[in-house]
């Protein structure tokens, strides 16, 4: 490369750090959503870089569905301790117990949809005016038009018709009382960029991103992890396979990839040759074609 | 590290915007680029195959990949800029896909604001039309450094060299009036792929590059301004910890210029000079930093500096003033109010302004200046003077897209209503 140029990852990094700093400068009570997924791990890393040598000046918020991979929780707790970052956990179980939401039943039951209520309640209770999330525009059609700074009304809803134009790198976070923002610092990253960046920066990852043996079953072409609370359909059978996670969410709807990848290089190779989108492996998006768009309007990320 | 991985880490980022009138083939072209660069996944492909079958298309309709927009258009609701991504071994691309219809000047301006390249589509059968002129004008107004005019649907004009040459001539006639430095022309068929990624056998008379070759090779690194040192202070980092009780770092994204430790710099608006002690990033100090990096700078003197200030080179300082002459593109349904007050945002600096004068309005289809009609409404562009509540330090947009750009915000709704480019 020529002198005075930076590669695409460094440029994405610079943009994301700029956005994260902008959030802290423009808002009073920011949080960053942390799920333990690779996108939130990258966002965490970027936040660290943005404020170094100071600590990250906002807490992480984890919406805990109760259906976790234990490995993710261990990783999360380690990271927060080691970096001295404050962690807030909001439990979907609490929303169920206090009657804010009703648990889904049946074989496809998932708590992913319920998360929205837990999230919005948590934001309101803590008087949060901006929540940063790891959404990327390449993930899904409904996200392609999303802004870096996404305006939400008092009910946390996203109105696609009422979003502000974003020009250059001037972000307008002005708002009325009670309104808030969702901000997506890694909007312009693709899955490939995320993995390459993890590789370039040598960021430690939870072990379940790499190949491991796990009890799994196949539902309509998607490999899902077996857990005691999962209901199987008649024709489904639990077997042990070499798998890794491509993205991590609630265990009930996180699709796994059959894989033998043990290094980041191998994962990058796999991503480069994979012919299925990341969300194609997410059961919750498959449930309805317009699933994502609907959930966004309700206030999910 | 395997060789292919090393390659991934050496890619440049190129942002481009696409503009074309309805049905010029923009969706098909984007679909083609994504498809031929293998950015389309199986599940997406299956979805469009299914949809193509449903609509009775014989071939897979690549335009369906950007379906979201099309559906919106049919419903007549606000169309927006959609961002799409693909990569080749050389570059990562970000497409700001903006619909071409007349009321979407606002979106085109938005998409153009960060673009290195504008791809403008022309239907070979129609030639240069009003919309084409408008697209070229916006590209030049927003100072997109490179324009690629794709003459599309060449298959429908028998790949005629004459048609292509004519369109080239027509376009140049208009672009001569504009500030565009670098314009290229490519004869393509988005539908069949001619000269998009692969060279076409149907255009033997054309010895220029394919669209993809241009996108991969257009020289963009020298588009950045490396001469005027500008660092708008975004945030002050003060750990106030036992280990670092006195650390004060000025965080920001370099707008232009090259910074090195030891450089003499001036802090605006105070005008006090000092020098750079260090340029810090996570766990490492840099001996050189430049746009568009995000850095943290320590200075050798203890000064009172806060967000909105700017660290600049001792020489080649920006201009300073309260009366700002600029082009404005209006983004809101509520027209601009002459003598109206707006919140004003320039780099990381917030203030207020009043619209002091409207000099003229531009007819974006003919490029004529209208000195009579001074009402600037949605999607209109004009030249105005604003007065700011505090002195502004700025550059002409022509030499600096970051320190020369401004947004106006409606104080009642908090909406972004105007995009300004300082003359
Ligand atoms: N023959 C031919 N048809 C094309 C070409 N590119 C696009 N089309 C057709 O033109 C129509 C409009 O294309 P579309 O991509 O939807 O246009 P958009 O409105 O600019 O996005 C569709 O029927 C396409 O199949 C081309 O290169 N040759």
């Amino acid at each position: 490369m020529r002198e005075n140029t930076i590669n695409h990852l460094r440029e994405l990094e610079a943009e994301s750090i700029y956005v994260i700093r902008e959030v802290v400068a423009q808002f009073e009570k920011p949080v960053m959503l942390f799920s333990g997924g690779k996108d939130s791990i990258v966002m965490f890393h970027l936040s660290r870089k943005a404020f170094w040598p100071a600590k990250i000046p906002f807490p992480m918020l984890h919406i805990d569905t109760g259906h976790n991979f234990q490995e993710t929780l261990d990783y999360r707790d380690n990271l927060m301790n080691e970096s001295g970052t404050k962690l807030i956990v909001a439990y979907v179980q609490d929303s169920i117990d206090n009657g804010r939401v009703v648990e889904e039943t049946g074989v496809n039951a998932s708590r992913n949809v319920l998360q929205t209520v837990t999230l919005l309640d948590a934001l309101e209770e803590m008087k949060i005016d901006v929540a940063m999330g790891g959404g990327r525009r390449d993930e899904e059609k409904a996200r392609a038009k999303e802004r870096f700074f996404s305006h939400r009304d008092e009910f946390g809803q996203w109105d696609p018709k009422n979003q502000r134009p974003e020009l250059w790198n001037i972000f307008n976070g002005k708002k009325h009382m009670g309104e808030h923002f969702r901000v997506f610092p890694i909007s312009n990253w693709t899955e490939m960029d995320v993995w390459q960046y993890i590789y370039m920066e040598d960021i430690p990852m939870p072990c379940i991103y790499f190949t491991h043996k796990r009890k799994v079953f196949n539902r309509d072409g998607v490999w899902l992890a077996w857990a005691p609370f999962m209901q199987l359909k008649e024709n489904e059978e639990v077997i042990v396979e070499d798998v890794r996670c491509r993205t991590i969410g609630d265990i009930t709807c996180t699709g796994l990839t059959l894989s033998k990848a043990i290094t980041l290089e191998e994962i990058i190779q796999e991503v480069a040759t994979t012919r299925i989108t990341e969300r194609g492996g997410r059961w919750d998006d498959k449930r309805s074609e317009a699933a994502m768009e609907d959930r966004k309007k309700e206030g999910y990320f | 590290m395997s060789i292919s991985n090393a390659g991934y880490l050496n890619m440049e980022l190129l942002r481009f915007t696409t503009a074309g009138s309805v049905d010029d083939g923009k969706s098909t072209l984007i679909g083609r680029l994504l498809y031929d660069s293998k950015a389309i996944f199986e599940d997406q492909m299956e979805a469009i195959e299914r949809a193509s079958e449903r609509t009775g298309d014989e071939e897979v309709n690549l335009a369906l990949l950007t379906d979201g927009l099309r559906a919106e258009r049919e419903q007549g609701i606000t169309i927006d800029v959609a961002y799409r991504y693909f990569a080749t071994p050389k570059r990562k691309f970000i497409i700001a896909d903006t619909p071409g219809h007349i009321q979407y000047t606002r979106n085109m301006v938005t998409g153009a604001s960060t673009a290195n390249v504008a791809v403008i589509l022309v239907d070979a059968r129609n030639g240069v039309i009003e919309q084409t002129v408008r697209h070229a004008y916006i590209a030049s107004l927003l100072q997109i450094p490179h324009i690629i005019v794709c003459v599309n649907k060449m298959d429908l004009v028998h790949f005629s060299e004459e048609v292509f040459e004519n369109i080239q001539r027509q376009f140049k006639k208009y672009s001569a009036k504009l500030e565009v430095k670098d314009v290229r022309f490519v004869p393509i068929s988005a539908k069949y792929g001619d000269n998009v990624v692969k060279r076409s056998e149907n255009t033997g008379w054309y010895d220029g590059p394919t669209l993809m070759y241009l996108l991969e090779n257009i020289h963009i690194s020298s588009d950045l301004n490396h001469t005027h040192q500008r660092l708008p202070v975004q945030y002050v980092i003060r750990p106030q910890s036992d280990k670092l009780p006195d650390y004060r770092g000025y965080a920001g994204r370099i707008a232009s210029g090259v910074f090195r430790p030891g450089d003499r710099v001036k802090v605006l608006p105070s005008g006090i000079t000092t020098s750079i002690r260090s340029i810090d990033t996570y766990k490492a100090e840099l001996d050189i930093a430049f746009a568009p990096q995000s850095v943290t700078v320590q200075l050798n003197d203890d000064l009172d500096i806060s967000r909105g200030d700017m660290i600049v080179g001792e020489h080649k300082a920006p201009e300073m003033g309260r009366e700002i002459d600029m082009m404005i593109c209006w983004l809101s349904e509520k027209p601009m109010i002459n003598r109206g007050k707006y919140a004003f945002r320039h780099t990381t600096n917030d203030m207020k302004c009043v619209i002091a004068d409207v000099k003229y309005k531009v007819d974006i289809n003919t490029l004529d200046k209208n000195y009579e009609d001074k009402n600037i409404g949605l999607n209109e562009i004009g030249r105005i003077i604003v007065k700011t509540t505090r002195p502004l330090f700025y550059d002409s947009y022509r030499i600096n897209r970051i320190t020369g750009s401004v947004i106006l915000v409606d104080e009642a709704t908090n909406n972004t209503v105007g995009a300004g480019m300082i003359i």
Side-chain angles (χ1 to χ4, degrees):
Chain A
M1 278 209 148
R2 267 172 226 94
E3 210 190 334
N4 298 355
T5 60
I6 50 180
N7 73 22
H8 70 294
L9 298 173
R10 289 286 173 231
E11 189 164 343
L12 291 172
E13 175 189 64
E15 176 179 81
S16 301
I17 287 177
Y18 175 82
V19 172
I20 294 169
R21 286 172 171 170
E22 218 37 36
V23 166
V24 173
Q26 291 195 35
F27 293 89
E28 270 161 35
K29 269 204 104 184
V31 289
M32 181 175 275
L33 274 274
F34 188 90
S35 66
K38 65 179 187 311
D39 299 327
S40 52
I41 292 170
V42 163
M43 281 215 302
F44 182 89
H45 186 77
L46 292 165
S47 306
R48 232 171 162 179
K49 291 189 119 177
F51 301 101
W52 191 89
K55 286 182 184 163
I56 298 176
F58 45 79
M60 299 288 146
L61 172 62
H62 183 203
I63 306 299
D64 186 336
T65 61
H67 297 162
N68 302 294
F69 291 95
Q70 184 56 40
E71 293 87 340
T72 314
L73 298 184
D74 296 344
Y75 177 93
R76 175 195 79 185
D77 294 342
N78 252 328
L79 189 61
M80 300 304 148
N81 284 334
E82 167 257 318
S83 62
T85 309
K86 189 174 167 201
L87 172 73
I88 299 165
V89 184
Y91 297 93
V92 173
Q93 188 63 51
D94 290 348
S95 306
I96 295 170
D97 293 346
N98 63 27
R100 293 281 291 136
V101 296
V102 177
E103 176 106 71
E104 289 182 13
T105 53
V107 283
N108 288 333
S110 160
R111 289 182 167 182
N112 244 31
V113 182
L114 311 185
Q115 282 186 83
T116 308
V117 174
T118 311
L119 170 67
L120 293 178
D121 286 354
L123 296 182
E124 185 163 341
E125 195 185 306
M126 293 184 289
K127 305 255 179 300
I128 299 298
D129 56 356
V130 58
M132 285 175 270
R136 306 191 320 265
R137 290 176 181 145
D138 82 317
E139 275 180 278
E140 228 260 342
K141 255 189 213 160
R143 278 198 198 271
K145 288 166 283 167
E146 182 60 286
R147 306 294 196 276
F148 276 93
F149 276 46
S150 176
H151 177 261
R152 304 299 162 107
D153 65 14
E154 302 113 283
F155 305 103
Q157 297 179 109
W158 178 68
D159 178 1
K161 278 180 265 181
N162 192 20
Q163 296 296 318
R164 300 171 182 175
E166 276 176 353
L167 298 108
W168 301 289
N169 56 359
I170 311 180
F171 296 105
N172 173 5
K174 290 185 198 290
K175 60 179 180 346
H176 293 293
M177 281 284 287
E179 294 175 341
H180 38 105
F181 272 78
R182 300 290 168 78
V183 173
F184 304 101
I186 60 167
S187 289
N188 276 332
W189 299 50
T190 60
E191 183 185 16
M192 188 54 146
D193 298 327
V194 168
W195 282 116
Q196 286 172 12
Y197 184 74
I198 289 167
Y199 176 73
M200 183 175 79
E201 291 282 291
D202 205 9
I203 303 173
M205 296 299 285
C207 53
I208 51 177
Y209 277 110
F210 302 95
T211 185
H212 56 285
K213 289 208 186 298
R214 182 176 288 277
K215 286 186 182 158
V216 295
F217 63 95
N218 196 301
R219 177 167 295 169
D220 299 341
V222 180
W223 289 102
L224 293 171
W226 181 81
F229 47 78
M230 299 282 265
Q231 284 184 46
L232 294 183
K233 292 185 192 166
E234 247 174 44
N235 59 343
E236 291 168 345
E237 135 190 47
V238 176
I239 54 173
V240 174
E241 284 284 0
D242 293 310
V243 292
R244 67 174 188 84
C245 298
R246 236 181 127 181
T247 176
I248 295 179
D250 181 291
I251 204 167
T252 56
C253 53
T254 297
L256 304 166
T257 309
L258 299 183
S259 166
K260 303 242 190 237
I262 49 174
T263 63
L264 285 171
E265 283 105 311
E266 283 168 353
I267 292 179
I268 292 173
Q269 287 301 344
E270 254 185 39
V271 173
T273 49
T274 307
R275 307 308 311 152
I276 306 273
T277 58
E278 197 179 349
R279 288 208 159 260
R282 285 211 27 174
W283 181 254
D284 53 329
D285 283 336
K286 281 213 165 170
R287 295 206 297 188
S288 138
E289 281 211 4
M292 183 70 139
E293 187 108 29
D294 292 345
R295 273 157 50 209
K296 270 175 75 84
K297 284 190 187 145
E298 281 161 20
Y300 174 84
F301 257 73
Chain B
M1 194 197 299
S2 72
I3 296 157
S4 57
N5 285 355
Y8 290 136
L9 300 182
N10 234 339
M11 285 153 51
E12 260 181 321
L13 180 64
L14 182 125
R15 298 172 200 252
F16 69 96
T17 153
T18 51
S21 321
V22 176
D23 284 341
D24 279 354
K26 201 159 54 65
S27 316
T28 310
L29 178 65
I30 292 173
R32 167 66 56 192
L33 285 168
L34 299 181
Y35 182 74
D36 283 0
S37 63
K38 306 202 164 43
I40 296 176
F41 292 104
E42 250 168 42
D43 49 344
Q44 293 171 318
M45 201 62 202
E46 274 168 26
I48 58 173
E49 273 165 13
R50 252 183 281 128
S52 298
E53 269 167 38
R54 221 180 301 136
T55 50
D57 289 356
E58 263 168 48
E59 285 162 71
V60 174
N61 185 354
L62 290 174
L64 290 174
L65 274 171
T66 50
D67 197 24
L69 282 173
R70 179 161 288 265
E72 279 185 6
R73 182 156 79 210
E74 278 151 15
Q75 295 164 27
I77 58 173
T78 318
I79 300 191
D80 246 319
V81 185
Y83 293 88
R84 311 187 190 283
Y85 304 84
F86 70 100
T88 67
K90 276 214 167 110
R91 281 184 175 163
K92 170 194 167 85
F93 298 95
I94 301 180
I95 313 178
D97 180 12
T98 63
H101 201 261
I102 186 146
Q103 58 256 51
Y104 307 121
T105 298
R106 163 175 108 161
N107 298 324
M108 222 174 301
V109 168
T110 304
S113 70
T114 51
N116 314 91
V117 173
V119 172
I120 298 178
L121 262 89
V122 175
D123 185 323
R125 297 168 303 175
N126 306 336
V128 172
I129 55 174
E130 261 187 7
Q131 265 107 316
T132 320
V133 176
R134 192 169 71 238
H135 299 154
Y137 174 66
I138 290 170
S140 86
L141 181 70
L142 273 289
Q143 292 280 311
I144 302 181
H146 313 276
I147 295 180
I148 304 174
V149 178
C150 287
V151 179
N152 188 33
K153 308 198 184 179
M154 286 300 292
D155 54 294
L156 297 180
V157 294
H158 312 290
F159 295 99
S160 152
E161 179 176 14
E162 201 192 330
V163 168
F164 179 67
E165 292 293 332
N166 267 336
I167 291 175
Q168 211 166 324
R169 218 169 304 125
Q170 279 178 321
F171 188 91
K172 282 180 180 160
K173 204 176 84 198
Y174 284 104
S175 64
K177 296 193 231 166
L178 303 171
E179 259 181 78
V180 291
K181 295 164 209 123
D182 178 26
V183 188
R184 328 271 179 117
F185 298 85
V186 191
I188 66 164
S189 166
K191 187 167 180 180
Y192 300 105
D194 297 78
N195 294 328
V196 178
V197 174
K198 295 184 206 97
R199 288 201 68 83
S200 168
E201 289 175 4
N202 298 313
T203 51
W205 43 266
Y206 173 74
D207 55 10
T210 61
L211 172 61
M212 184 65 104
Y213 183 90
L214 284 176
L215 291 174
E216 281 190 312
N217 292 285
I218 275 187
H219 190 58
I220 51 168
S221 56
S222 52
D223 296 340
L224 285 170
N225 175 336
H226 284 314
T227 41
H228 301 83
Q229 291 172 301
R230 306 280 184 263
L231 174 63
V233 175
Q234 200 185 355
Y235 184 77
V236 182
I237 293 177
R238 304 190 59 190
Q240 292 173 305
S241 60
D242 295 345
K243 247 175 40 199
L244 296 163
D246 301 317
Y247 185 98
R248 250 173 192 276
Y250 303 107
R253 192 167 189 199
I254 298 173
S256 59
V258 179
F259 289 84
R260 293 184 178 83
D263 281 357
R264 298 292 305 170
V265 290
K266 192 151 75 174
V267 181
L268 298 177
S270 72
I272 298 171
T273 55
T274 175
S275 59
I276 294 180
R277 180 192 298 169
S278 65
I279 303 169
D280 303 340
T281 59
Y282 187 59
K283 295 183 177 168
E285 286 183 19
L286 301 179
D287 35 347
I288 183 167
F290 44 86
Q293 286 178 301
S294 282
V295 294
T296 302
V297 161
Q298 289 190 81
L299 300 176
N300 276 318
D301 294 287
D302 251 341
L303 302 174
D304 183 21
I305 300 176
S306 50
R307 175 175 166 86
D309 292 359
M310 199 188 291
I311 298 171
V312 305
E314 208 177 12
H315 306 291
K316 295 197 183 114
E319 295 178 54
M320 209 149 160
R322 288 186 45 200
E323 234 170 75
I324 316 294
D325 186 357
M326 62 187 191
M327 299 302 293
I328 188 102
C329 173
W330 203 249
L331 312 169
S332 161
E333 274 92 17
K334 223 163 85 192
M336 187 179 83
I337 300 168
N338 212 342
R339 315 292 319 165
K341 293 191 177 69
Y342 293 93
F344 181 100
R345 180 86 188 277
H346 171 258
T347 65
T348 56
N349 211 342
D350 270 310
M351 52 183 89
K352 285 181 185 156
C353 76
V354 58
I355 312 290
D357 190 21
V358 179
K359 289 188 164 174
Y360 56 80
K361 189 157 104 176
V362 180
D363 181 325
I364 51 175
N365 294 322
T366 59
L367 309 186
D368 292 335
K369 293 170 185 156
N370 185 340
Y371 292 91
E372 311 299 315
D373 178 6
K374 299 196 166 177
N375 300 308
I376 297 184
L378 177 63
N379 293 310
E380 295 188 315
I381 292 169
R383 180 158 172 186
I384 62 169
I385 307 278
V386 304
K387 279 209 179 93
T388 57
T389 43
R390 280 183 284 126
L392 187 76
F393 16 101
Y394 62 92
D395 294 291
S396 158
Y397 185 77
R398 201 170 283 128
I399 61 166
N400 198 319
R401 287 170 91 184
I402 310 277
T403 56
S405 52
V406 163
I407 61 166
L408 301 190
V409 175
D410 182 311
E411 296 199 277
T413 62
N414 289 327
N415 272 334
T416 304
V417 291
M421 289 137 281
I422 302 173
I423 300 284

